Amino acid sequence: MDRCYVLGTIWATRKVAELEGFKMVLLAVKDYTLKNTSKLVVAVDILDVSPGDDVLITYGSGARNVLGNQELPIDAVVAGIVSEEV
Amino acid sequence: MDRCYVLGTIWATRKVAELEGFKMVLLAVKDYTLKNTSKLVVAVDILDVSPGDDVLITYGSGARNVLGNQELPIDAVVAGIVSEEV
Amino acid sequence: MDRCYVLGTIWATRKVAELEGFKMVLLAVKDYTLKNTSKLVVAVDILDVSPGDDVLITYGSGARNVLGNQELPIDAVVAGIVSEEV
Amino acid sequence: MDRCYVLGTIWATRKVAELEGFKMVLLAVKDYTLKNTSKLVVAVDILDVSPGDDVLITYGSGARNVLGNQELPIDAVVAGIVSEEV
Amino acid sequence: MDRCYVLGTIWATRKVAELEGFKMVLLAVKDYTLKNTSKLVVAVDILDVSPGDDVLITYGSGARNVLGNQELPIDAVVAGIVSEEV
């Protein structure tokens, strides 16, 4: 998984039908020092995250597993919001 | 998904049969500041995007899900055109 | 697989249900000279690794194979702790 | 897909049996300005490309779909030769 | 596939059971000029390669296809030893 910073929400009025109804968020991937890298990712969000949140993103079949449907055109999903680390 | 800038359309007269009939577009992947990175991607487009459009690209099985056929030799597809973000 | 340095353990109180009960660790990917790169990865750990450990991370379906369940929203798992090299 | 420059053909006398009979080509991945990046890829070629050709490479299951066999130890295949772009 | 330089063999006494019995090698990924990049990969080796060998690595399901078992926690395998290029 990647650790990311939530930049905001993004909409696409013209999109493939299967994306209908999914909230999509714009994310910056964090590096080893927890600073934002330049890498940008767009993921589906079912945890209703907010800008500034520190989140975990899962990819590929793992992402579609969160939504319980391997037929979706989705390859990245928010899996959790970081609460603590040690 | 990646957020990309549409550079244009690309053709390949000599290609594997299964790519026949698909429109393919040339894309630059955007970074965290929404500038184009140097990373180039070629994806199938069924939304009929135009040069300059700001689009979302999905990869792997997620891409083939857009086309409803996991047997295709395709690993990247345009999933939407960004309309708004906040 | 990547070779990584264990930075510590990470928790996410708000997360997708299927991640419940899994220990997650924060890792820096090592480069060819065995120094930490800036790349950060979050993986599930069933070997109970500790900060500073030198570990191997497997990805995608290979990661879910470690947990014996391809339905999990997981895409990276600790597969081993490096003991020796020659 | 990546857009690549064909560097040449590569052989491996000692290889896994399932690679027997496949032509393999050495490729440099192109960037947004169509210059070669430093990234090197080795792919299977069934279109009989030549050094200097401008080609499209598909990856993962998409690559094995070109060869119609998901059991192959192949993860990259030449899918087309670029003829035109606008 | 990536083209890599074999650095040596690596062991992990504490590892997931399914890795038992597999030889694992440490590799540097080569770039377009055939120099080693900083990228480090760990792969399973069934061709008994040696330090300094010039090898091809396949990833994901393609890697598990080499071992004929998609249930393995493995995502990278040595597929061949480069003998010639032109």
Side-chain angles (χ1 to χ4, degrees), chain E:
Chain E
M1 291 184 279
D2 276 339
R3 187 169 179 180
C4 296
Y5 174 89
V6 178
L7 296 167
T9 302
I10 191 167
W11 285 268
T13 27
R14 244 168 84 202
K15 56 182 175 280
V16 297
E18 301 83 350
L19 278 185
E20 203 57 56
F22 286 109
K23 176 188 173 188
M24 295 187 289
V25 289
L26 206 56
L27 305 146
V29 175
K30 291 188 176 187
D31 75 8
Y32 162 55
T33 66
L34 300 192
K35 266 199 252 102
N36 293 351
T37 68
S38 65
K39 183 154 166 50
L40 186 66
V41 169
V42 176
V44 162
D45 167 37
I46 60 169
L47 295 175
D48 201 18
V49 300
S50 310
D53 278 350
D54 180 1
V55 299
L56 303 177
I57 304 296
T58 190
Y59 294 97
S61 304
R64 292 183 291 277
N65 281 340
V66 172
L67 307 168
N69 179 354
Q70 280 299 328
E71 312 284 318
L72 291 169
I74 287 164
D75 61 8
V77 171
V78 178
I81 303 173
V82 176
S83 49
E84 202 198 327
E85 67 194 276
V86 71

Side-chain angles (χ1 to χ4, degrees), chain A residues 5-80:
Chain A
Y5 174 90
V6 178
L7 296 166
T9 302
I10 191 167
W11 284 269
T13 28
R14 243 169 83 202
K15 56 182 175 282
V16 297
E18 301 83 349
L19 277 185
E20 203 58 57
F22 286 109
K23 177 187 172 187
M24 295 188 289
V25 289
L26 206 56
L27 305 146
V29 175
K30 292 188 176 185
D31 73 10
Y32 161 54
T33 66
L34 300 192
K35 266 199 252 103
N36 293 350
T37 67
S38 66
K39 184 155 166 47
L40 186 67
V41 170
V42 176
V44 161
D45 168 37
I46 61 168
L47 295 176
D48 202 17
V49 299
S50 311
D53 279 350
D54 180 0
V55 300
L56 303 177
I57 305 296
T58 190
Y59 293 98
S61 305
R64 291 182 291 278
N65 281 340
V66 172
L67 307 170
N69 178 356
Q70 280 298 328
E71 313 283 319
L72 291 169
I74 288 163
D75 60 9
V77 171
V78 179

Side-chain angles (χ1 to χ4, degrees), chain C residues 39-50:
Chain C
K39 184 155 165 49
L40 186 66
V41 170
V42 176
V44 161
D45 167 37
I46 62 168
L47 296 176
D48 201 17
V49 300
S50 311

